[in-house]
C-alpha cells in the first residue's frame, strides 16, 4: 500500500532467492490507499450502523422477512469493514507492515474470508426470497416469515464462518516470490468460486426469471384492461413491487460490477504474472481491492434512493423519534394472525381488497339496506 519493498517481516524469507527475485514490486499508489480506506471506514461504519438500526425498526414494525435479510447483509458488511479494511489493510499493512506473528496473520486471514463470504452470501437468501415472492406468491405466503428468515440467516453465517477456516493457509500475494503451489491453486479457485462465480450465477438465473415474470405480467396487463379486468386498486402494489425489484437488481448488479476486477486480477496473478514480480499486476490488485471494498458502503444509498419506508425510518433514527410502535393501531389486528401468514410486501397492499373479494356476492347483496 505504501512505497516500501513488500517483503515479509522476517529477513529469513529472502534467503536462498536469486538476485532477480529480490527485486520485488512496489506499490506505486503511495499513501492514497491508506487515505481511501480511512475515508471508507469512517463513512461506511457509521452509515451501516445507521442502516442496521433503521432496518431493525422496520423489521420489528412490519414483521417482514425482507428486512431481516437486508439487516443480515448490513451486519455482514460491518464485519467486512472491521476485519478486512481496518485490521487487514490499515493495521497490518499500513501500520505494522506485516511485522506481526505469522500465526496472527493466518488467523486474521481466516476471519477476513469468513466476513467476506458472509457479506456476499447474505444477499443470496434475499434474492431467493424475492424470486419466490414475485414468481410464486402463494408459496411465499407459506414459507416466508421472520422465524424462518432468522434460521436461514443463522445457517448462512455459520457456513460462512466454516468456509473461512481453510483460508488460514492463504498465501500472501503481495510478498510470496515462489510460484503458486497446488494448495494455492485450490484456495484461489475456491475463493473466486465462493465470492463471485457461484453467487453471481445464482443472481443471474433468479434475476432473469424475475424480469421475465414481470415482462409477462406487463404484457398481460393491457389485455386485462381491454376486457375490463384491470382495476386501479392494483396499481399501488405494482409500484411497490417494482421498487423492491429495483432495489434487489441494484444490490446484485453493483456487487457483480465491483467484484469483477478483483476476480480477474486474482486469476491473472495465478496463471500469467505474479503480484510479487510485476508492479502493474500489483497496481491492478490494489485498485481492484479498493473497488471491491466499496461494495460494503453503498447499500445505504441504494436503500435511500429506492425505499420511502427506509428513508422515513432513517429520519426517525436521526431525529431520535419513536421506533417500532410508531403505528400501534395498525399493528393490533395483526396479533391474531397465524405465524406463517404472508409477510411479503407483495401481498401487503392487497389485504383489504382480498378480504373484500373473498366475501360471497350473495351475502353482500343481502346486507344491502332495503
Amino acid at each position: 500500500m505504501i512505497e516500501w519493498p513488500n517483503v515479509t517481516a522476517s529477513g529469513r524469507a529472502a534467503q536462498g532467492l536469486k538476485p532477480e527475485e529480490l527485486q520485488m514490486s512496489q506499490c506505486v499508489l503511495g499513501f492514497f490507499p491508506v487515505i481511501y480506506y480511512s475515508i471508507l471506514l469512517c463513512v461506511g461504519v457509521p452509515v451501516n450502523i445507521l442502516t442496521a438500526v433503521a432496518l431493525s425498526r422496520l423489521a420489528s414494525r412490519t414483521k417482514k422477512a425482507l428486512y431481516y435479510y437486508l439487516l443480515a447483509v448490513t451486519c455482514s458488511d460491518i464485519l467486512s469493514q472491521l476485519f478486512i479494511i481496518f485490521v487487514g489493510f490499515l493495521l497490518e499493512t499500513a501500520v505494522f507492515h506485516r511485522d506481526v506473528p505469522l500465526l496472527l496473520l493466518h488467523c486474521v486471514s481466516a476471519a477476513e474470508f469468513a466476513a467476506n463470504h458472509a457479506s456476499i452470501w447474505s444477499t443470496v437468501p434475499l434474492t431467493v426470497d424475492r424470486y419466490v415472492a414475485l414468481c410464486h406468491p402463494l408459496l411465499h405466503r407459506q414459507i416466508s416469515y421472520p422465524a424462518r428468515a432468522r434460521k436461514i440467516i443463522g445457517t448462512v453465517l455459520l457456513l460462512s464462518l466454516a468456509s473461512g477456516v481453510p483460508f488460514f493457509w492463504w498465501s500472501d500475494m503481495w510478498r510470496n516470490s515462489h510460484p503458486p503451489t497446488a494448495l494455492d491453486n485450490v484456495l484461489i479457485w475456491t475463493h473466486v468460486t465462493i465470492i463471485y462465480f457461484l453467487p453471481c450465477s445464482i443472481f443471474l438465473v433468479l434475476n432473469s426469471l424475475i424480469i421475465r415474470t414481470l415482462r409477462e405480467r406487463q404484457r398481460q396487463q393491457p389485455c386485462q384492461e381491454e376486457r375490463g379486468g384491470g382495476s386501479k386498486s392494483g396499481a399501488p402494489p405494482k409500484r411497490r413491487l417494482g421498487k423492491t425489484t429495483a432495489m434487489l437488481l441494484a444490490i446484485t448488479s453493483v456487487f457483480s460490477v465491483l467484484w469483477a476486477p478483483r476476480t480477474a486480477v486474482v486469476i491473472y496473478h495465478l496463471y500469467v504474472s505474479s503480484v510479487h514480480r510485476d508492479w502493474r499486476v500489483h497496481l491492478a490488485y490494489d485498485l481492484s481491492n479498493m473497488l471491491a471494498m466499496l461494495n460494503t458502503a453503498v447499500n445505504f444509498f441504494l436503500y435511500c434512493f429506492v425505499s420511502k419506508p427506509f428513508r422515513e425510518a432513517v429520519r426517525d433514527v436521526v431525529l431520535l423519534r419513536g421506533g417500532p410502535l410508531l403505528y400501534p393501531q395498525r399493528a393490533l389486528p395483526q396479533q391474531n394472525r397465524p405465524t406463517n401468514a404472508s409477510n411479503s410486501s407483495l401481498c401487503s397492499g392487497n389485504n383489504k381488497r382480498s378480504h373484500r373479494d373473498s366475501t360471497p356476492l350473495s351475502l353482500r347483496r343481502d346486507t344491502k339496506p332495503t
Side-chain angles (χ1 to χ4, degrees), residues 72-73 75-85 108-122 157 160-164 195 259 293 296:
V73 174
C75 294
S76 301
D77 286 340
I78 295 175
L79 292 178
S80 297
Q81 290 173 338
L82 293 179
F83 281 107
I84 300 177
I85 298 178
V108 172
S109 176
E112 290 174 356
F113 280 97
N116 190 10
H117 297 168
S119 177
I120 294 170
W121 279 90
S122 296
L157 294 180
S160 299
L161 180 62
S163 67
I195 61 102
W259 276 89
M293 289 299 101
T296 61

Side-chain angles (χ1 to χ4, degrees), residues 15-188:
Q15 295 178 1
L17 297 179
K18 298 179 181 179
E20 61 270 14
E21 292 178 335
L22 295 176
Q23 297 178 357
M24 304 177 184
S25 64
Q26 294 184 350
C27 178
V28 298
L29 293 177
F31 282 91
F32 178 74
V34 178
I35 298 173
Y36 172 82
Y37 286 123
S38 300
I39 295 175
L40 187 61
L41 190 69
C42 293
V43 173
V45 172
V47 161
N48 279 326
I49 292 176
L50 177 60
T51 304
V53 175
L55 291 174
S56 299
R57 292 192 173 191
L58 289 173
S60 300
R61 181 188 308 167
T62 63
K63 303 300 180 182
K64 293 179 181 178
L66 168 67
Y67 294 118
Y68 287 93
Y69 292 126
L70 293 176
L71 181 60
V73 174
T74 303
C75 294
S76 301
D77 286 340
I78 295 175
L79 292 178
S80 297
Q81 290 173 338
L82 293 179
F83 281 107
I84 300 177
I85 298 178
F86 179 68
V87 177
F89 287 113
L90 294 180
L91 285 184
E92 285 187 354
T93 303
V95 177
F96 296 111
H97 303 182
R98 289 295 201 277
D99 191 10
V100 293
L102 187 61
L103 178 62
L104 180 60
L105 280 176
H106 288 295
C107 292
V108 172
S109 176
E112 290 174 356
F113 280 97
N116 190 10
H117 297 168
S119 177
I120 294 170
W121 279 90
S122 296
T123 313
V124 175
L126 170 65
T127 308
V128 175
D129 180 80
R130 290 298 89 198
Y131 162 74
V132 177
L134 298 176
C135 301
H136 306 282
L138 296 180
L139 177 63
H140 187 263
R141 296 183 185 184
Q142 300 175 0
I143 67 174
S144 181
Y145 48 90
R148 174 166 290 180
R150 289 192 292 266
K151 291 180 181 179
I152 294 175
I153 292 169
T155 303
V156 170
L157 294 180
L158 289 177
L159 292 176
S160 299
L161 180 62
S163 67
V165 174
F167 295 93
F168 177 88
W169 294 273
W170 180 264
S171 297
D172 192 344
M173 287 186 174
W174 276 295
R175 288 157 176 79
N176 284 342
S177 58
H178 59 77
T181 62
L183 179 61
D184 293 335
N185 279 268
V186 172
L187 290 178
I188 287 176

